[in-house]
Amino acid sequence: MAQGQDEFYFALPYDKMDIALLAYNNSEPTAKLAAELGIGLDQAEFIYRDIEAKRKATAMLHWPAIAIETVTGPNTKPPMFG
């Protein structure tokens, strides 16, 4: 394949995606990202929007678990009732 799965999903190879994520996480302007990657400003803006969209779509994957019942195991004592 001429394009890997990472390039298909992220629209960038991993090495460029790392730079884009670092720039995004540090609130760097899109112009600086464009200059660093050697791309146009429109593409840099698309990359930032794409990062935001993917983070929004996968936000629930980062939510903490909610236990429905008490969990006990070999290193825990069962709950005492009454």
Side-chain angles (χ1 to χ4, degrees), residues 5-69:
Q5 289 181 352
D6 58 323
E7 293 179 68
F8 175 78
Y9 182 75
F10 293 113
L12 284 173
Y14 279 134
D15 59 336
K16 291 185 178 182
M17 194 67 214
D18 286 342
I19 294 167
L21 286 170
L22 181 64
Y24 180 85
N25 290 339
N26 288 310
S27 302
E28 297 291 348
T30 52
K32 187 170 182 179
L33 175 63
E36 183 66 33
L37 295 181
I39 60 176
L41 186 58
D42 288 344
Q43 188 176 2
E45 290 169 353
F46 170 82
I47 291 168
Y48 274 12
R49 285 193 309 273
D50 193 45
I51 291 169
E52 290 169 0
K54 286 180 171 76
R55 286 186 175 181
K56 184 176 181 181
T58 60
M60 78 293 282
L61 299 174
H62 301 278
W63 294 349
I66 300 172
I68 297 172
E69 60 187 38

